[in-house]
Amino acid sequence: MVRRLSHRLVQSVILLFLVSIAGFALLRLLPGDFAEVLLLSQMDGTLPDAAAVERFSAENGFDDPLPVQYLHWLGNVLTGDLGTSFVTGESVSGDILLRIRQSLILALLSIGLALVLAVPIGCFCAYHAGGLADRLLAAASVAGLSIPNFWYALLLALLFSLTLGWLPSSGHGTLAHAVLPTLVIATTMTGVIARFVRARLLDEFHHAYIRTAKAKGLSQTRILLHHALPNILPSLLTLTGLQFARAFDGMIIVETIFAWPGIGSLLVASLLNRDYPLIQVCFLVIACGYIIINLLVDYLVTLADPRIQEAI
Amino acid sequence: MARAHSLFRPKPDAQRRQTRAGLLACLILMIVLAPLAAPYPPDQIDILNRLVPPGWPHLLGTDQMGRDVFSRLLYAGRLTTGAALLVVLASALTGTLLGCVCGYLGGWPDQLLMRFCEGLSVLPALAIAMIIAGVMGLGLAVVLLALTAVHWTEYARLVRNMILVERAKLYVQAAEALGSSRRRIVHRHLLPNIAAPLLTMAAYSLSWVILAFAGLSFLGLGVEPGTAEWGRMIADARNHMRSHPHLVLAPGLTITAFVMLVNLLGDGIGDRMRSRHTNLLTLRKTIFKPRS
């Protein structure tokens, strides 16, 4: 377990390093001279003369070789200085932590809701495979994967906030604000996870240990809770981790539609504004966040399944 | 009774598949023939007939600029289908080529490719595609490139893993013992045998690409404003959603139906391919022309 984790840890560190290079390249590979682009944004679109540009780039180290610039930039990032926004002129690291918090709240709520719904549904459908509920689940999960989530989000907003007036259609703060965004992200995930739980349980039911448990005269509930479910837990965790990444794709859209102040809506706003430093921060936050989440999921999987010794 | 049931079972399945295939064919035909089927040009603005409810002569009504919604839906379908097919094709080709080479040769290129693909698979694909598109500047070509950039790794991983499984099998060893060249083994033996899962994957990945494309356009990061595109149409109609819900309903239902049919097509291919023996032969004949 230690070996596997250290292996993954080294991999993650390498990945973080690559991500940081990509993040650095994101800004420096802009069309045109970086010093010029930066000055243009600071001077409201009027470009100063060539001598001033040269002085500016010498002062800020833009004439140094790229590796030196990279190390300089990395030092700044690690100490929390992520540059200033092109649009507002303020430091971009300002409210980034709040944004991360809001996105995490939304993600955890959705995944929590999806798991709470999906596991019982999956179990029920596994016990009644081929029945009405099972076929409904199959149809619903295909539908869930086929509906564009932005349209689904708009439909929910149209029904629950514009027509019925039960829930607010945008903003954040109260639990009511979180209901619609959570629902949109959780629905698709529920279908996928429930189908997975059903399929894995059906596989497990063929194993000898289930037969033994039945022969011992254990109740169905006990077999499910103490025998079958613990055995599918590791793969369920892995799937949930993967779904987390997919959930973010949905969150970008959902946060934008419901004006939820998370990383997703920040990313869209910065892309539409061409606010490159802000795009860079979003990229770093998303990439690092996912590397950490993945590592965490790996750790949980090893905890849940001590048999896993080797990576791959 | 049970026997009779199992005897009759394949028929409804086959029928269902035919219905799906027929529906998909109709949709594709409508989309391909959009210039003939569409009653109006997609960009013809008619300010006097703004926001007309569905009826005659505007089947699905008109939008906030007086453009015919039905015609726009058809033209949007053309754009989306073409774009998504291009992305899938480019991703599949890149992924298959690299996956084949790395899976067959092994060694450090294989390790490098797999670590790279694994690393990328951790990250949310749509977000990365958005960032690539956003930094490179917007436009259709850039969006296609960005989607391909995040999508090809899925194919590379699938192909590489399947090649590893297949090349350990006896028929490949036999071909190697016969002295076939690596190229010939990959072409004549490995590729035809991994074609079935690859096709299934292509159908599913097509549905992902269509949704991602529509999502990007909806956010304003895909095609230019005013283009007839499903996601864009929904975004443009958002402000009129309460008074004219059909403007949001029609494109949304179209995407859902289209993607659902594509998904079911994937299921259908998957089901068929599970009975491999007969089908693979026909598949090999149809897709990979045998070289005599």
Side-chain angles (χ1 to χ4, degrees):
Chain A
M1 173 169 156
V2 176
R3 202 180 141 196
R4 176 183 148 89
L5 279 183
S6 59
H7 187 89
R8 295 287 298 152
L9 202 64
V10 171
Q11 247 184 32
S12 302
V13 170
I14 296 174
L15 208 57
L16 276 176
F17 175 65
L18 292 176
V19 161
S20 74
I21 290 185
F24 172 72
L26 201 68
L27 261 187
R28 299 305 152 102
L29 295 183
L30 287 177
D33 185 36
F34 182 62
E36 268 179 32
V37 176
L38 211 60
L39 272 179
L40 266 178
S41 77
Q42 285 175 2
M43 310 282 285
D44 294 327
T46 49
L47 189 66
D49 55 274
V53 173
E54 243 169 58
R55 205 168 54 241
F56 178 77
S57 62
E59 270 170 20
N60 289 283
F62 295 136
D63 295 336
D64 294 341
L66 276 179
V68 176
Q69 283 193 43
Y70 167 71
L71 286 178
H72 186 71
W73 171 83
L74 192 64
N76 281 344
V77 168
L78 290 179
T79 50
D81 175 15
L82 294 154
T84 51
S85 159
F86 277 6
V87 175
T88 60
E90 287 166 18
S91 167
V92 288
S93 46
D95 61 353
I96 204 86
L97 282 176
L98 275 173
R99 294 270 185 171
I100 296 175
R101 198 168 143 249
Q102 291 294 338
S103 278
L104 265 183
I105 290 177
L106 195 55
L108 290 177
L109 275 177
S110 326
I111 293 210
L113 180 65
L115 281 176
V116 166
L117 289 174
V119 174
I121 294 178
C123 293
F124 183 83
C125 290
Y127 274 112
H128 304 90
L132 182 67
D134 192 26
R135 274 178 289 165
L136 270 181
L137 173 69
S141 65
V142 173
L145 285 175
S146 307
I147 294 180
N149 46 15
F150 57 91
W151 183 62
Y152 179 50
L154 284 181
L155 285 189
L156 285 188
L158 181 65
L159 180 64
F160 288 110
S161 43
L162 293 181
T163 311
L164 295 172
W166 289 354
L167 295 162
S169 68
S170 69
H172 72 295
T174 63
L175 198 61
H177 285 100
V179 173
L180 285 181
T182 308
L183 211 58
V184 173
I185 304 171
T187 324
T188 335
M189 255 195 289
T190 307
V192 175
I193 298 177
R195 290 279 287 172
F196 181 80
V197 168
R198 171 196 174 273
R200 286 288 289 113
L201 274 181
L202 284 180
D203 280 351
E204 288 299 317
F205 286 164
H206 291 301
H207 283 288
Y209 74 92
I210 297 281
R211 203 163 56 230
T212 314
K214 265 187 200 155
K216 277 199 300 188
L218 295 183
S219 71
Q220 223 174 34
T221 334
R222 201 180 157 82
I223 294 176
L224 183 71
L225 290 181
H226 291 256
H227 296 264
L229 276 184
N231 270 296
I232 70 164
L233 188 61
S235 44
L236 183 62
L237 277 174
T238 313
L239 179 84
T240 312
L242 287 175
Q243 284 296 309
F244 218 90
R246 286 201 59 147
F248 189 77
D249 286 344
M251 270 163 61
I252 298 174
I253 285 166
V254 168
E255 281 181 4
T256 310
I257 289 181
F258 294 109
W260 185 271
I263 290 291
S265 48
L266 185 68
L267 176 66
V268 172
S270 63
L271 281 168
L272 290 175
N273 287 330
R274 295 301 176 84
D275 194 347
Y276 291 102
L278 210 50
I279 300 176
Q280 187 185 36
V281 173
C282 289
F283 170 71
L284 288 178
V285 166
I286 294 167
C288 295
Y290 275 98
I291 292 171
I292 293 168
I293 287 169
N294 220 40
L295 207 60
L296 207 66
V297 170
D298 263 8
Y299 176 66
L300 288 178
V301 171
T302 4
L303 275 191
D305 189 355
R307 286 171 305 186
I308 297 177
Q309 291 293 325
E310 283 295 318
I312 306 163
Chain B
M1 216 28 222
R3 195 184 155 80
H5 181 72
S6 68
L7 263 180
F8 285 112
R9 212 185 158 98
K11 204 173 175 189
D13 255 15
Q15 269 174 2
R16 210 185 307 157
R17 261 206 299 273
Q18 275 170 9
T19 333
R20 289 174 193 165
L23 276 173
L24 194 67
C26 282
L27 256 176
I28 290 174
L29 206 67
M30 294 263 271
I31 283 164
V32 171
L33 297 177
L36 296 176
Y40 295 89
D43 298 321
Q44 184 183 303
I45 296 173
D46 183 359
I47 292 297
L48 292 178
N49 285 313
R50 294 172 71 236
L51 299 167
V52 171
W56 191 258
H58 297 284
L59 280 180
L60 292 172
T62 59
D63 66 2
Q64 60 284 348
M65 310 267 277
R67 295 171 294 198
D68 184 60
V69 173
F70 181 65
S71 310
R72 283 176 79 72
L73 280 182
L74 289 183
Y75 275 94
R78 278 187 118 192
L79 178 70
T80 307
T81 318
L85 279 177
L86 266 179
V87 171
V88 168
L89 203 66
S91 309
L93 282 179
T94 321
T96 309
L97 187 71
L98 283 173
C100 267
V101 171
C102 291
Y104 196 70
L105 295 181
W108 66 264
D110 181 43
Q111 288 294 318
L112 195 69
L113 178 79
M114 280 307 113
R115 291 292 96 77
F116 180 77
C117 293
E118 272 167 27
L120 210 60
S121 74
V122 170
L123 305 175
L126 191 64
I128 303 302
M130 276 170 65
I131 293 174
I132 296 176
V135 170
M136 286 174 65
L138 305 177
L140 187 59
V142 172
V143 175
L144 298 189
L145 201 70
L147 284 176
T148 312
V150 295
H151 200 51
W152 69 269
T153 53
E154 309 258 335
Y155 284 92
R157 285 170 58 168
L158 178 81
V159 168
R160 182 258 186 186
N161 290 338
M162 283 191 309
I163 291 270
L164 281 192
V165 173
E166 288 297 318
R167 68 167 298 187
K169 288 188 180 167
L170 208 56
Y171 71 93
V172 178
Q173 288 175 10
E176 275 170 354
L178 278 170
S180 303
S181 69
R182 281 171 177 171
R183 222 187 119 136
R184 189 183 159 83
I185 291 176
V186 171
H187 267 244
R188 294 295 306 266
H189 301 286
L190 292 177
L191 274 184
N193 275 300
I194 64 167
L198 207 57
L199 264 184
T200 319
M201 162 124 177
Y204 290 127
S205 95
L206 189 63
S207 70
W208 183 83
V209 173
I210 292 173
L211 286 178
F213 186 69
L216 284 180
S217 304
F218 174 79
L219 290 174
L221 295 165
V223 295
E224 279 117 40
T227 314
E229 198 282 335
W230 291 331
R232 194 67 239 168
M233 288 172 72
I234 294 177
D236 290 341
R238 227 182 119 180
N239 294 332
H240 306 275
M241 182 167 76
R242 199 169 177 187
S243 48
H244 301 85
H246 72 274
L247 286 179
V248 168
L249 286 177
L253 279 175
T254 317
I255 307 179
T256 310
F258 196 62
V259 172
M260 202 181 269
L261 282 174
V262 171
N263 270 331
L264 292 175
L265 178 79
D267 283 350
I269 297 176
D271 285 349
R272 276 190 92 103
M273 294 311 166
R274 237 154 263 153
S275 53
R276 295 174 59 121
H277 294 292
T278 48
N279 289 312
L280 268 182
L281 278 174
T282 49
L283 192 80
R284 197 179 307 187
K285 272 176 201 152
T286 47
I287 295 182
F288 300 95
K289 282 182 199 154
R291 282 190 235 152
S292 50

